[in-house]
Amino acid sequence: MTGSAGDEREPPGPPAALLAGVTADALRAAEGYAAGVYLCSGTHMLRLAVLAGLPGPLFRPWWRVHVERPFPVSDAHRLGVPVVLANATEAMRRYPQFAAGLPFQFGTLNVPVVAEGYAFGVMTVLRPAASDGGEVQAQRERLARVADSLGASLLRLRAEGRPVTWDDEPLCVRPPAAGPAPGRVGHLAWDPASDAVTTDEPARILLGLPPDRSPDTLRELSRAVDPMDAHQLPGLLREAAQGRPPPLPVQVRTADGSVRLLELWASGSNAPTPVTGVLIDPGPGALADGAADLLPEGVFCLDRLGLIVYANARAAHLLGGERARMVGRSLWDAVPWLNRSACEEHLRGALLSPEPVHFHIRRPPPAEGDDAESGPRPYEGDWLSMAVYPGPDLLTCTAVPANRVAHDPERPADGARADPEAETPAPDAAATTSPPYRPIVLAIALTEAVTARQVSAVVMQELLPAFGGRRLAIYLLQERHLYLAWEAGFPEGFLAPFEGVGLDARLPGVETLTTGRPLFFDSMEQLSEAYPGIALDAAVGARAFLPLIASGRPVGSCILGFDRPRSFSSEERTVLTAMAGLIAHAMEKAQRYDTEAALARGLQQALLPRRLSQHARVETAGRYLAGTEGMEVGGDWYDVVEAGDGLALVIGDVQGHGVQAAATMGQLRSAVRAFALGDRPPEEVMGGTNLLLIDLDPGHFASCCYIRLDPVTGLARAVRAGHPLPLLRHPDGRTEVVDLRGGVVLGVDPRAHYPVTELRLDPGAVLALYTDGLVERPGQDIDDGVAALRTALADAGAPGRALADVADRLTATARQTPDRPDDIALLLATRLPPPAPDEEK
């Protein structure tokens, strides 16, 4: 969560009241139960600015999304079109990695937020799954109107010079209630302009006031609460009126000491604005008059932001806390040991799908001093059986000891130890900590891994952890011999004697391939008995030898190592054997791709310009670096073309990789050159190229930046189609990101408009155009890459230094990166000072 009740810091970006209001509108328009807005952050990153209806900590992996990632909101932003996923089946078909990360039954609507050609971000709504996209057509149209309204508001903010990007954690806000609240709830409102307070009858009752006595002013409202809390109430309301409501309900005590939860939000987008609030009674009487207190199971309720709104005594006892300290706090604060990945996965399932979720979780032993504070806890260190039942506004959770029948009438008194003979075995730890869809994630990840190194890395990251393995070796077959392609975890040099062994060798790694039969050994003793004299490493664990066979053709063998003896169930053997087939197909694809990669590299190099057009007043320099991983041969290009009495600076990047992407790049480069040589206006150059790509229909889209420069005056007219913003180094050393208005990428929308931005290039200034491969690093924010490039340009672009030397300095780090995943194109241009009079003569 961001901020607290006393935090006066407004997150940088659009006002919180605006974002909270549009998410509420989006939920109503699309009939969803959760909504969010992603806003741009710098060049190629979308950040979640607001999230309504879901706990922020549970969805931290999706707070940032790269615009080039195959993800629904990324495509909606990059392509400028809505992305509708009616259900999980459609999500798996179109976005398998997204569906594998959130394998639940729900649908999504993703609508771009744009205004006058400026793309601000994406509005997304989660809703119940539908049978097909036709069912959500009306909701999509209504959501588009909400997104257009937000785009117009952001455009006004941008015109005022206010920030419209987002670089903070998301605001987590509560959505409008889906129905009547389950407990006692009252409503109040405060108008800062008139200081008028209005309350309904339930609110007055909750404040301990007679039904006919209403506090008319903020001062009178403050008198109705405990003196210890009275001082904070005016400040909370004033902060909310300025667009900074507290992210969580605030505890407020009435004059008689009863706890109430107060939620606040602004009812408009201008500050100060009227504030509305909800007053909630979180006590036992709020749910069925305390009937749940009589149940033998632990029962507690969470709202859709993860806040505990009720807990019976049994739940507090089993979870190891005090009910008074649990209610009104987030689940992760109240019960920290539930903050683990397995539990989070189950809670996500309950929030995103209509089906109940059941799982087991093991409690940690009590910390020293816990018993003195909260009393003895039964079954210390044992398992709890948890169930979570979804609802439109609340999650109802139950907890019972897992080694006992839930309704056992012979339950011992609290603090007594259960009869060991009556206990059933605790659930298997692996079953509760390893998500059942882990092999699916491996299969999906393998579809994107092309080189043998990438395939092996995926196996190491996804397959081994799912089965508790620590060691991996993959051998590939070449001319009837097996050669090591990847190893991890084995002692240094241990596998050297097995390098290049023939298919006649009596070794498990060979025989699993020649027979096509996987071999499993529960211990090293079993392996030694089956293959006497085989060299063994120091480990004493189990081994699995899997044949890699693709379409009936032998590819190699895979060895999985485990540090401890273990048995392999029939289900595990089946899954591992199936996974070996997928690995084999991926490895075969990697070998085939080597040939295509070599062809694509040659084609791409042939299509790049051998020399750049020159002008007496302009110096240019270009650099192209091919990706060092075979799969990443792509369509990056740059060019400098004579355009009338000026020069056209061009850079572009075709989406995708391989021969087809390189061929598409060549066609686009030829089209841009033809338009530029005719000195067509920049918007016509980009629009004509867009129509050409749509007509060619190669299955690719492309980003591009086109700048027509007048060398004499320095006036430049620029258009941009989804490409990274250029950098400009001024003669005094200052660097900046040039804010060019842009349109959607080429090849998507035949009606796309590409607005023109004018800028001036002073003599000695350096303009840098680049593709995203120069600023992207795995695991790093692209904004950091852009910042690093700005720093390098400021240092390298000193006046008087040859532009070719500057280009080499800017690409030096990339040249030294051994596993560079993407191609890189860089184009630099600088205006030269006018010649002295004697030089002109």
Side-chain angles (χ1 to χ4, degrees):
M1 303 298 178
T2 58
S4 63
D7 186 359
E8 299 184 359
R9 179 179 61 89
E10 168 79 0
L18 171 64
L19 297 176
V22 296
T23 53
D25 294 340
L27 289 173
R28 285 188 287 265
E31 301 176 14
Y33 50 74
V37 174
Y38 282 86
L39 294 178
C40 293
S41 170
T43 310
H44 265 49
M45 191 69 66
L46 293 171
R47 290 182 186 264
L48 185 62
V50 60
L51 179 63
L54 293 174
L58 278 186
F59 295 87
R60 184 178 293 271
W62 297 274
W63 284 6
R64 294 189 315 175
V65 180
H66 194 283
V67 297
E68 298 294 343
R69 182 181 175 188
F71 204 75
V73 296
S74 301
D75 281 358
H77 175 71
R78 187 177 62 252
L79 304 179
V81 296
V83 174
V84 179
L85 303 176
N87 48 50
T89 301
E90 186 172 358
M92 178 61 76
R93 178 177 61 84
R94 296 177 58 186
Y95 299 94
Q97 285 192 321
F98 165 68
L102 293 169
F104 313 113
Q105 285 297 329
F106 67 98
T108 67
L109 296 173
N110 307 273
V111 178
V113 179
V114 297
E116 296 186 9
Y118 196 94
F120 294 100
V122 176
M123 179 174 289
T124 181
V125 172
L126 308 185
R127 65 180 311 280
S131 59
D132 58 68
E135 295 185 28
V136 296
Q137 179 64 28
Q139 290 93 327
R140 187 186 77 171
E141 294 175 357
R142 291 196 295 267
L143 185 63
R145 289 193 288 270
V146 178
D148 289 343
S149 175
L150 175 59
S153 298
L154 294 176
L155 189 65
R156 287 193 296 270
L157 292 175
R158 184 171 182 267
E160 297 169 0
R162 300 176 62 181
V164 293
T165 58
W166 194 266
D167 292 286
D168 206 350
E169 294 183 358
L171 300 170
C172 296
V173 299
R174 186 163 280 96
R184 293 191 294 165
V185 174
H187 297 81
L188 58 87
W190 175 62
D191 185 351
S194 62
D195 194 34
V197 173
T198 57
T199 56
D200 60 10
E201 182 175 340
R204 292 192 288 273
I205 294 175
L206 290 176
L207 290 171
L209 300 173
D212 57 349
R213 179 186 164 192
S214 175
D216 297 325
T217 65
L218 181 55
R219 185 174 182 180
E220 293 179 7
L221 178 64
S222 300
R223 291 174 180 171
V225 301
D226 185 272
M228 296 296 294
D229 293 333
H231 72 280
Q232 69 168 334
L233 189 57
L236 291 172
L237 288 166
R238 292 191 181 100
E239 289 295 318
Q242 295 294 327
R244 297 188 292 269
L248 289 175
V250 180
Q251 282 194 1
V252 176
R253 295 184 181 274
T254 63
D256 64 359
S258 300
V259 175
R260 302 289 183 255
L261 299 179
L262 177 63
E263 302 182 37
L264 298 172
W265 60 88
S267 56
S269 58
N270 298 322
T273 187
V275 176
T276 57
V278 171
L279 203 63
I280 305 172
D281 176 10
L287 289 172
D289 296 324
D293 279 342
L294 306 177
L295 296 176
E297 295 89 354
V299 179
F300 61 99
C301 296
L302 309 174
D303 69 5
R304 295 195 67 84
L305 294 189
L307 194 77
I308 300 176
V309 298
Y310 171 77
N312 69 358
R314 182 65 175 163
H317 189 69
L318 290 174
L319 297 178
E322 293 185 17
R323 181 161 58 174
R325 296 187 179 183
M326 293 174 62
V327 174
R329 300 174 63 190
S330 72
L331 178 65
W332 302 275
D333 290 338
V335 192
W337 56 269
L338 286 178
N339 188 12
R340 59 182 77 173
S341 58
C343 180
E344 289 183 351
E345 187 64 30
H346 294 299
L347 288 175
R348 277 195 289 266
L351 285 161
L352 296 178
S353 59
E355 299 299 323
V357 173
H358 302 271
F359 61 99
H360 292 84
I361 193 164
R362 192 165 194 170
R363 298 180 305 180
E368 186 176 351
D370 275 2
D371 288 349
E373 181 177 341
S374 57
R377 297 192 323 197
Y379 318 113
E380 298 295 357
D382 285 344
W383 294 83
L384 289 179
S385 177
M386 308 284 290
V388 185
Y389 300 89
D393 295 314
L394 293 179
L395 303 181
T396 302
C397 312
T398 64
V400 295
N403 53 359
R404 214 163 247 290
V405 178
H407 298 285
D408 184 1
E410 301 299 326
R411 182 187 304 277
D414 286 352
R417 192 67 183 170
D419 181 3
E421 296 181 0
E423 295 180 354
T424 57
D428 181 79
T432 61
T433 58
S434 179
Y437 60 88
R438 193 66 174 268
I440 300 176
V441 174
L442 170 68
I444 294 167
L446 284 175
T447 64
E448 297 186 354
V450 177
T451 67
R453 181 181 182 86
Q454 291 169 337
V455 173
S456 303
V458 167
V459 176
M460 189 71 190
Q461 295 165 4
E462 300 292 348
L463 183 62
L464 280 186
F467 292 89
R470 296 293 182 86
R471 306 182 181 203
L472 171 69
I474 294 181
Y475 286 86
L476 296 181
L477 181 64
Q478 297 179 18
E479 298 180 354
R480 297 188 59 79
H481 289 76
L482 288 174
Y483 295 91
L484 185 65
W486 177 279
E487 69 167 307
F490 287 94
E492 184 177 358
F494 172 74
L495 296 177
F498 304 102
E499 179 72 3
V501 296
L503 294 186
D504 56 350
R506 190 175 185 277
L507 294 169
V510 174
E511 293 190 356
T512 189
L513 179 61
T514 56
T515 64
R517 179 171 56 90
L519 303 174
F520 299 93
F521 300 95
D522 296 351
S523 65
M524 299 301 280
E525 289 78 7
Q526 282 189 6
L527 176 60
S528 180
E529 291 174 3
Y531 294 88
I534 188 173
L536 303 176
D537 58 344
V540 295
R543 289 288 183 272
F545 297 84
L546 308 175
L548 302 182
I549 300 174
S551 303
R553 296 185 296 273
V555 176
S557 58
C558 176
I559 305 171
L560 306 181
F562 304 84
D563 288 346
R564 298 179 180 178
R566 58 158 296 171
S567 59
F568 297 89
S569 67
S570 58
E571 180 180 2
E572 288 177 322
R573 293 177 183 230
T574 300
V575 171
L576 285 171
T577 303
M579 291 299 100
L582 293 174
I583 297 169
H585 278 283
M587 284 294 185
E588 185 184 47
K589 181 176 65 175
Q591 293 172 324
R592 290 199 311 266
Y593 209 94
D594 285 342
T595 302
E596 182 182 352
L599 174 61
R601 287 182 190 280
L603 174 61
Q604 191 171 39
Q605 290 287 355
L607 292 173
L608 289 171
R610 294 181 180 273
R611 70 176 186 85
L612 301 178
S613 297
Q614 298 182 6
H615 191 282
R617 295 288 303 276
V618 178
E619 180 185 0
T620 60
R623 293 292 183 269
Y624 171 78
L625 280 68
T628 57
E629 299 181 10
M631 67 172 286
E632 296 296 346
V633 176
D636 294 19
W637 93 91
Y638 64 88
D639 208 348
V640 178
V641 189
E642 294 182 7
D645 56 358
L647 287 180
L649 310 174
V650 191
I651 196 162
D653 184 359
V654 176
Q655 171 266 343
H657 302 92
V659 174
Q660 182 60 50
T664 301
M665 177 269 284
Q667 292 172 310
L668 290 184
R669 175 174 174 261
S670 298
V672 173
R673 285 187 65 87
F675 286 124
L677 288 170
D679 201 15
R680 301 281 292 276
E683 63 271 26
E684 292 186 17
V685 174
M686 198 66 74
T689 306
N690 175 52
L691 293 176
L692 174 66
L693 184 58
I694 292 174
D695 186 58
L696 291 172
D697 192 22
H700 297 280
F701 55 84
S703 68
C704 185
C705 184
Y706 180 94
I707 300 178
R708 202 279 190 189
L709 174 65
D710 185 334
V712 176
T713 65
L715 178 65
R717 303 182 75 243
V719 291
R720 185 172 64 91
H723 199 78
L725 297 170
L727 301 180
L728 178 62
R729 185 192 189 278
H730 295 278
D732 60 4
R734 292 180 299 109
T735 61
E736 65 172 310
V737 178
V738 183
D739 187 9
L740 299 184
R741 299 171 62 191
V744 299
V745 292
L746 304 175
V748 175
D749 183 3
R751 299 184 300 269
H753 172 64
Y754 298 98
V756 176
T757 303
E758 291 190 353
L759 63 148
R760 189 169 298 277
L761 189 64
D762 296 326
V766 178
L767 183 66
L769 309 180
Y770 56 92
T771 56
D772 52 15
L774 187 59
V775 292
E776 285 186 323
R777 298 290 183 274
Q780 295 184 12
D781 193 328
I782 194 171
D783 295 345
D784 297 335
V786 173
L789 182 60
R790 287 182 61 181
T791 302
L793 180 60
D795 295 339
R801 177 171 288 160
L803 212 57
D805 183 39
V806 177
D808 289 337
R809 288 171 179 262
L810 295 183
T811 55
T813 300
R815 292 177 187 277
Q816 298 168 5
T817 303
D819 294 325
R820 188 172 58 254
D822 203 357
D823 294 359
I824 291 173
L826 172 68
L827 178 62
L828 303 179
T830 184
R831 279 183 69 216
L832 302 176
D838 55 343
E839 293 179 356
E840 291 180 349
K841 296 177 182 179

